[in-house]
């Protein structure tokens, strides 16, 4: 028997060394004491005033001891259970899951090829696809319901469109604290009560600070409500390097960590132990086109580094992948989506969102979701790593088949080829077969597959009584906002 | 005089903020004609910068440094200029509409207009409709800019335009709008004069608009 062996069950990947992570963390602590942040919410300012923090107007500076104390109180694991009743999403170190992003104002219409406003129907269709596609583990709305009765209540209707068509755990967005309260009530109805929701949350709520170092009243209102009710939440900075954060990735990571730490302290003051998740869409402002890039390699690099930091801090990480700046689902889309999908996966981020985004976070595409289903499959295959036990080293087999032998008909092949990745849409046929089958491009195959899923897939319907109760919450909200 | 202009255009196109202020001040101290400094020094300089930007030879940080230099120089020059001297480079009020906190796109647009010689009053984010109207009354801009990044806040832009009409001042200024979910179609629907898909093209689009009206 051998000793001193290390077996890599999966490939190993990290961007930052421990010393680099410490450099970034200690720098962020320096920002907390020296620069602080601004908070535009009376209740939160009151919490800080009653603590050791220094509050001057809206400016809050926080002593390091408070930060380090607060950091200890966050869960290292959160488990989500969708309305299908399965505890399916285990958010813990290096456990990766994939899901869509939210609120895209435009949709690239599958039939006309034109960009138009996103509707309830589009969100329903995306939800259905996410339910059907096995590589999607959680669901965000993808599009935004722009045809809701009232923009102030669109979030409830959007959640309804998601719930009716998808049974998986979700990440939701809300208009304000009141909106979040309604979504949470809906969530509690589904899980069977407040305590049940706490034990088996069905969603995480997505909230953002304003880079650099600003916290607006609506975001804080949502965050404090989440803390109070212990709703899992992410407070995810969206800095654009060179515009709302330093142009260096290190500087951007320091700033966005400081933004996270401020929320860490704020939630701790409100309700210690609330399930807060670290986040970040850390990318750059393109200096030729002045757009916030969803396809830049720097997005992948900064996001993977951010995940390294989250693991060191024992925080669950919400990251970004499967997204692109390309206007349509073309070669640029595939290459950019594949790159940020791949590295976010390798980094071990827990919730990888924005999968399927095109047009730098403004446009939805159903076919893009189906393309990512295939690409996630490839990426996960890479993650399986290489088994080097005796069976897999196959010495006896090599000896048995000998020089000039064949492997196609052996028991070993019969057993192990099934471990390979099986493409569903990629074409590996010979040229003549491809021509015979209609010389179809990937785009055409994607369209057919997407249409097929929309036509045939039936998500498990919502219980009719429950559906009515949920609908009532939406309608009551509409009445309040008439 | 021409050596002053050379220094001005040099400091401007290099984006040297403090140096440009100094050379403009010096030229004024040497009795240069303020309108010449603008029309023969600064504006051609920014024209060249704009051209390089369009050709992809200059990038956002460089262009905005030049715009910052331009804006600093204009602060010194403006009090010395007659209204006619300012030409198309008028006054702008710009802000992000109520309920909307996205500011960077609006700020980039504001800087671009400063670069073109505009006097820009940036009223900030999350500004109620009344604030736009008040600012328009107070500053009497030639151009009113609004930014919205959310489908939920886009309707505020149409409301502001209606309020301007009600206040009887709509025709005293051109309205330009922008933001990721905004489209040309939407701009026409709410009766805005100009839609700019990005900050880089906004100044040109405004110039074309004013030329078509002249
Ligand atoms: C960064 C960002 C944020 C940051 C903003 C930080 C900041 N300091 O500005 C933060 C994190 C705060 C944020 C918050 C939210 N955001 Co946001 N955000 C973005 C993101 C990713 C990029 C915006 C950006 O900075 N772009 C770069 C700048 C330079 O571009 P730009 O703003 O479009 O401006 C350019 C042009 O449009 C034009 N322009 C813009 N304005 C004007 C005005 C004039 C007069 C002119 C001439 C030109 C012009 O010139 C600029 C330069 O070329 C966009 C996605 C996107 N790609 O647009 C989402 C996006 C706009 N946000 C979105 C959402 C949903 C939100 C939130 C509601 C999320 C939530 N649920 O909490 C909140 C809302 C907060 C609020 N009340 O406003 C949605 C919009 C959905 C919708 N309703 O339509 C988007 C599309 C992303 C998404 N799919 O979720 N966001």
């Amino acid at each position: 028997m051998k000793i001193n062996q290390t077996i890599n069950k999966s490939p190993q990947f990290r961007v930052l060394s421990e010393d680099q992570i410490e450099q970034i963390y200690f720098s962020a602590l320096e920002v907390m004491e020296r620069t602080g942040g601004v908070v535009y919410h009376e209740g939160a300012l009151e919490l800080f005033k009653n603590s050791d923090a220094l509050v001057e107007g809206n400016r809050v500076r926080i002593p390091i001891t408070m930060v380090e104390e607060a950091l200890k109180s966050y869960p290292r694991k959160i488990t989500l259970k969708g309305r299908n009743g399965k505890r399916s999403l285990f958010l813990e170190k290096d456990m990766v899951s994939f899901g869509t992003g939210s609120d895209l104002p435009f949709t690239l219409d599958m039939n006309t090829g034109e960009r138009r406003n996103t509707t309830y129907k589009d969100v329903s269709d995306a939800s259905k696809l996410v339910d059907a596609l096995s590589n999607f583990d959680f669901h965000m709305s993808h599009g935004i319901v722009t045809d809701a009765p009232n923009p102030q209540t669109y979030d409830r209707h959007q959640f309804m469109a998601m719930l009716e068509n998808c049974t998986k755990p979700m990440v939701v967005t809300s208009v304000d604290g009141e909106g979040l309260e309604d979504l949470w009530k809906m969530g509690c109805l589904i899980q069977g009560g407040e305590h049940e929701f706490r034990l088996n949350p069905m969603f995480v709520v997505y909230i953002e600070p304003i880079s650099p170092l600003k916290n607006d009243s609506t975001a804080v209102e949502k965050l404090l409500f989440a803390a109070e009710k212990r709703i899992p939440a992410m407070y995810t900075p969206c800095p654009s390097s060179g515009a709302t954060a330093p142009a260096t990735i290190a500087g951007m990571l320091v700033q966005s960590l400081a933004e996270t730490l401020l929320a860490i302290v704020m939630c701790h003051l409100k309700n210690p132990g609330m399930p807060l998740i670290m986040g970040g869409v850390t990318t750059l402002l393109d200096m030729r086109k002045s757009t916030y890039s969803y396809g830049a390699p720097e997005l992948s690099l900064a996001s993977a580094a951010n995940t390294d930091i989250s693991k060191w801090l024992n925080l669950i990480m919400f990251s970004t992948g499967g997204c692109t700046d390309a206007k349509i689902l073309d070669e640029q889309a595939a290459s950019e989506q594949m790159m940020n999908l791949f590295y976010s996966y390798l980094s071990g981020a827990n919730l990888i969102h924005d999968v399927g985004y095109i047009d730098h976070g403004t446009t939805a595409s159903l076919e893009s979701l189906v393309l990512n289903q295939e690409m996630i499959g490839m990426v996960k295959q890479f993650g399986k790593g290489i088994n080097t036990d005796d069976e897999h080293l196959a010495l006896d087999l090599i000896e048995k088949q000998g020089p000039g032998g064949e492997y196609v008909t052996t028991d070993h092949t019969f057993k192990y080829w099934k471990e390979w990745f099986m493409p569903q849409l990629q074409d590996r046929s010979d040229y003549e077969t491809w021509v015979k089958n209609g010389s179809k491009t990937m785009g055409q195959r994607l369209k057919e597959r997407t249409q097929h899923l929309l036509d045939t897939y039936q998500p498990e319907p919502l219980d009719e009584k429950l559906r009515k109760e949920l609908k009532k919450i939406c309608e009551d909200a509409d009445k309040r906002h008439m | 005089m021409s050596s002053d202009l050379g220094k001005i255009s040099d400091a401007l196109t290099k984006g040297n903020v403090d140096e440009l202020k100094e050379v403009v001040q010096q030229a004024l101290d040497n009795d240069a004609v303020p309108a010449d400094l603008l029309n023969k020094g600064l504006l051609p300089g920014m024209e060249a910068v704009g051209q390089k930007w369009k050709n992809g030879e200059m990038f956002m940080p460089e262009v905005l440094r030049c715009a910052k230099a331009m804006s600093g120089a204009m602060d010194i020059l403006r009090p010395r200029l007659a209204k006619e001297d300012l030409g198309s480079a008028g006054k702008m009020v710009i802000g992000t509409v109520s309920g909307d906190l996205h500011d960077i796109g609006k700020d980039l647009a504001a800087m671009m207009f400063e670069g073109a010689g505009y006097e820009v009053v940036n009223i900030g984010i999350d500004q109620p409709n009344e604030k736009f109207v008040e600012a328009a009354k107070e500053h009497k801009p030639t151009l009113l800019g609004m930014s919205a990044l959310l489908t939920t806040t886009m309707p505020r832009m149409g409301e502001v335009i209606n309020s301007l009409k009600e206040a009887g001042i709509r025709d005293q200024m051109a309205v330009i709008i922008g933001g990721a979910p905004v489209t040309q179609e939407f701009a026409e629907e709410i009766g805005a004069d100009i839609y700019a898909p990005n900050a880089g093209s906004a100044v040109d689009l405004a110039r074309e608009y004013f030329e078509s009206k002249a």
Side-chain angles (χ1 to χ4, degrees), chain A residues 1-246:
Chain A
M1 201 187 82
K2 277 187 184 171
I3 57 160
N4 298 326
Q5 298 295 294
T6 306
I7 306 286
N8 284 349
K9 189 153 186 301
S10 72
Q12 308 288 310
F13 174 78
R14 64 188 285 175
V15 175
L16 298 174
S17 71
E18 182 154 357
D19 289 332
Q20 285 179 297
I21 295 174
E22 284 178 348
Q23 280 181 306
I24 290 170
Y25 174 66
F26 291 140
S27 303
L29 290 180
E30 177 66 8
V31 174
M32 300 307 286
E33 290 194 335
R34 188 161 86 180
T35 314
V38 287
V39 178
Y40 293 94
H41 187 280
E42 283 313 316
L45 286 172
E46 228 16 71
L47 289 173
F48 282 117
K49 276 181 198 156
N50 294 327
S51 76
D52 286 339
L54 176 71
V55 181
E56 293 166 315
N58 294 93
R59 190 73 169 263
V60 179
R61 290 184 177 80
I62 300 172
I64 290 168
T65 47
M66 279 181 77
V67 178
E68 298 220 297
E69 174 67 31
L71 267 172
K72 284 186 222 137
S73 76
Y74 287 91
R76 294 168 58 191
K77 173 167 180 169
I78 298 174
T79 305
L80 297 179
K81 176 169 140 183
R83 78 156 165 92
N84 58 11
K86 288 190 201 119
R87 281 171 67 89
S88 62
L89 204 53
F90 300 95
L91 308 177
E92 61 188 60
K93 185 164 168 275
D94 283 318
M95 191 78 113
V96 181
S97 69
F98 294 95
T100 32
S102 72
D103 295 309
L104 296 165
F106 300 114
T107 288
L108 190 65
D109 191 296
M110 229 180 95
N111 299 313
T112 64
E114 269 165 33
R115 193 184 73 157
R116 54 165 177 76
N117 292 340
T118 304
T119 62
Y120 190 96
K121 172 82 169 50
D122 296 319
V123 173
S124 300
D125 285 346
S127 307
K128 201 170 168 180
L129 287 181
V130 169
D131 206 50
L133 298 170
S134 59
N135 286 332
F136 284 77
D137 306 295
F138 67 92
H139 181 38
M140 287 180 86
S141 66
H142 195 45
I144 180 169
V145 171
T146 59
D147 52 351
N150 181 339
Q152 267 323 101
T153 57
Y154 89 85
D155 47 357
R156 288 81 161 178
H157 296 274
Q158 187 155 295
F159 189 36
M160 214 45 219
M162 293 161 73
L163 282 172
E164 278 174 331
N165 295 285
C166 181
T167 63
K168 294 180 180 176
M170 294 177 183
V171 175
V172 298
T173 52
S174 71
V175 173
D176 51 19
E178 190 198 312
L180 175 56
E181 183 166 1
D182 276 349
L183 302 189
W184 172 72
K185 281 182 185 156
M186 292 165 82
C188 289
L189 270 179
I190 294 165
Q191 302 303 63
E194 264 188 56
H195 288 272
E196 286 78 359
F197 187 93
R198 224 158 272 157
L199 213 53
N200 295 301
M202 69 157 302
F203 64 66
V204 182
V205 56
Y206 174 101
I207 314 171
E208 312 159 316
I210 304 182
S211 303
L213 301 165
K214 224 163 103 173
N215 302 274
D216 67 280
S217 64
T218 312
V220 175
E221 179 182 296
K222 291 185 219 171
L223 194 58
L224 293 183
F225 182 78
E228 186 190 322
K229 302 293 181 193
R230 296 195 179 229
I231 305 167
M234 64 242 341
Y235 200 57
T236 177
C238 303
S240 45
S241 196
T244 58

Side-chain angles (χ1 to χ4, degrees), chain A residues 105-106 144 210 214 216 287-288, chain B residues 53 59-61 101 151 180-181:
Chain A
F106 300 114
I144 180 169
I210 304 182
K214 224 163 103 173
D216 67 280
M287 290 305 180
R288 283 182 306 172
Chain B
W53 157 253
F59 303 93
M60 208 74 190
L101 306 168
T151 49

Side-chain angles (χ1 to χ4, degrees), chain A residues 261-281:
Chain A
L261 293 178
L262 191 140
I264 290 271
V265 173
M266 189 156 56
C267 290
H268 181 67
L269 290 172
K270 178 76 184 175
N271 192 0
M274 74 84 75
L276 189 72
I277 293 172
M278 176 164 160
V281 183

Side-chain angles (χ1 to χ4, degrees), chain A residues 7-12 342 345-346 378-389 392 419-420:
Chain A
I7 306 286
N8 284 349
K9 189 153 186 301
S10 72
Q12 308 288 310
F342 187 60
Y345 176 64
L346 287 188
M378 294 171 78
V379 164
K380 280 187 175 167
Q381 185 67 19
F382 188 91
K384 284 184 183 168
I386 294 171
N387 189 332
T388 49
D389 68 11
H392 284 77
E419 288 181 359
W420 301 348

